[in-house]
Every structure is written in C-alpha cells, then in structure tokens.
Amino acid sequence: MPDPLVAVGGSLGELPAVVRTWVGGWARSRGTDAPRDVPGGFRIEVGLPNHRARYVLPAADPAVLRDLVGAIDTPGLWIKVCAPREALEPALTPAWKISEPQYLMVSALAPMPPATPPPGYTLDLTDHDGIIDARVLCSGSGTGTGTGSGDAVPAASGRAALTTGAPGGAAYAVPAPPYPAPASPCAAAAVFDMIGTEAAHRRRGLGRFLMASLARRAAELGAGQGVLVASPDGRALYEALGWRLRAPVTAAVFTA
C-alpha cells in the first residue's frame, strides 16, 4: 500500500509532486510570484539582493544541471536540488558556493486537541487567506528571560501556507471550501516555513508546541498533508514529531 505521508499534490509517492507542493506553499509564505515551470523543475522570483531567484529541481539530472549552470551568470541565483551534495557538486564551477544540507520532509495532518503551552508562555495564532502565523509569547515573568515589565515578548514563531499542490498556477491558489479529501490528488496541503525559537527560550518545548499549533489549525482549514524543508538541527525536532524524510536537499548559490 502506498505511503499516505507522500500523497501530496499528485500521484502517491511522486517526488516531483511533493516538490511542486513545497515550492507553491513556499512562494505563498514568502509573498513572491507563483513558481513557474522550467526544464527539470521550477523557478521562483525572490527579488532579494543575495537571493534574486531560485531554481528547485526534484532530481539531479546531469543534462538539466549542465544547461542550467552554464546559463547562470548573475550572482544571487540559487539552485536547490532534491539530491545529496555529491550529485550536484560535479556540475558546479568554483563560482558556486554550497550551503549546509537541508531535508525535504513530509507528515500526515489530522485534527487534534489544542496543545498546552509551557508555563509562562502564550500562543498568538492568526490566519488569513490561507496563511497561518503563530507566535509563542513569553509573559516576561516566571521564566528568567523576560524584561520584567510584564510585556509579552516573542519566544518562537512560524508560518504555514496552504496550497493545493495542483500543476500550474492552481498550485499557488488558496484552497476553497469544501476542501478536497486529504488522500485525493491535489488535496490541500500546508507548507511549514520560518520555524524558529529565540536562543534564550530553547529546550523548553516551544518548537514542539508551535508545530502542534500550526498543524492543528492547518488541519482545521482542510490540509491533510504537511511539507517542509529542515536544517540539520530542525530535522531532529521534526523526526521526533513523526515527520519523515522524503529527500535530501542540496542548495548552491552563484557568487561571481
């Protein structure tokens, strides 16, 4: 029986469909234009000085990489490939810099009871137009890390963006009720992004609480699957929460 945790945005188990869901949700989360199809994958216009655009490829196809690397001559363009470093590195010139490893991960989402915040913390959760924002706030008392004024200060934050994972521009659209059944092709999914905990508040269960709160609200809005890309440190947290590794991700930026 196919693994339901990879049933995102297309046929069960298809990595390109999972990647399409990821790029569609990431673009919604960051407020960029919708991803567009390019040979071998997708391109997103990011528009930042050191991150002008990114190419995201579900596989390290040698011919695609050769043509893409040969065509790029603008600093700040990124390539992200769902493959280990050794699959991408031979195609690069010395003008490219490879960043730390990343990990494409997936999880089933389902309605669940509200999570309880650790003592001294509260949750601020909002959603609008398919974008869910969560902040865990420290009351400023009882934790030894607040200002002492009683004003709430951010301790952790993150976002989840709903996307259908459908081909073309429809992947970027906000799912509208009635939501598709989670197991159906192009079902609503949530892409988790910008998850972080302030250094003074780490190892207190805030990451687990934040993820549970985002996942619960995403499921309420119709998402049956979760997708994210994790750092090495983040991977350990997500695996402890039941997320599964779908593919390694190697990222490189053209520098000169």
Side-chain angles (χ1 to χ4, degrees):
M1 180 177 180
D3 186 346
L5 294 183
V6 295
V8 181
S11 300
L12 295 176
E14 291 183 356
L15 181 58
V18 180
V19 174
R20 183 182 291 278
T21 296
W22 168 37
V23 298
W26 189 92
R28 294 207 69 243
S29 174
R30 302 299 176 105
T32 73
D33 289 340
R36 60 184 177 88
D37 290 2
V38 296
F42 311 93
R43 174 172 168 138
I44 304 175
E45 303 298 330
V46 181
L48 300 176
N50 296 320
H51 194 166
R52 298 180 182 276
R54 60 167 55 183
Y55 292 89
V56 182
L57 310 178
D61 182 289
V64 170
L65 287 172
R66 181 186 63 246
D67 293 345
L68 183 57
V69 170
I72 289 177
D73 58 5
T74 302
L77 293 181
W78 286 76
I79 296 176
K80 289 179 176 269
V81 183
C82 294
R85 178 180 180 131
E86 54 266 28
L88 173 62
E89 195 166 22
L92 303 178
T93 69
W96 290 82
K97 180 180 179 181
I98 297 179
S99 65
E100 70 173 4
Q102 299 175 325
Y103 305 95
L104 179 64
M105 307 186 73
V106 295
S107 177
L109 302 180
M112 64 184 73
T116 301
Y121 295 93
T122 58
L123 175 67
D124 176 30
L125 185 72
T126 61
D127 66 80
H128 176 70
D129 197 28
I131 303 292
I132 308 164
D133 284 304
R135 295 191 306 158
V136 181
L137 304 176
C138 172
S139 65
S141 61
T143 64
T145 56
T147 63
S149 65
D151 294 334
V153 295
S157 61
R159 171 174 288 181
L162 267 65
T163 180
T164 64
Y172 192 70
V174 181
Y179 297 106
S184 67
C186 302
V191 174
F192 293 69
D193 188 30
M194 298 185 287
I195 308 297
T197 301
E198 298 296 327
H201 300 270
R202 291 174 184 165
R203 301 192 180 279
R204 301 184 181 192
L206 298 188
R208 180 181 293 269
F209 170 69
L210 178 73
M211 287 295 294
S213 300
L214 285 170
R216 177 177 183 271
R217 184 59 182 144
E220 289 177 341
L221 293 175
Q225 308 289 342
V227 180
L228 59 77
V229 171
S231 67
D233 288 342
R235 176 183 175 180
L237 167 65
Y238 303 130
E239 286 182 334
L241 297 177
W243 287 68
R244 295 188 184 181
L245 176 65
R246 191 62 184 85
V249 177
T250 303
V253 60
F254 186 76
T255 60

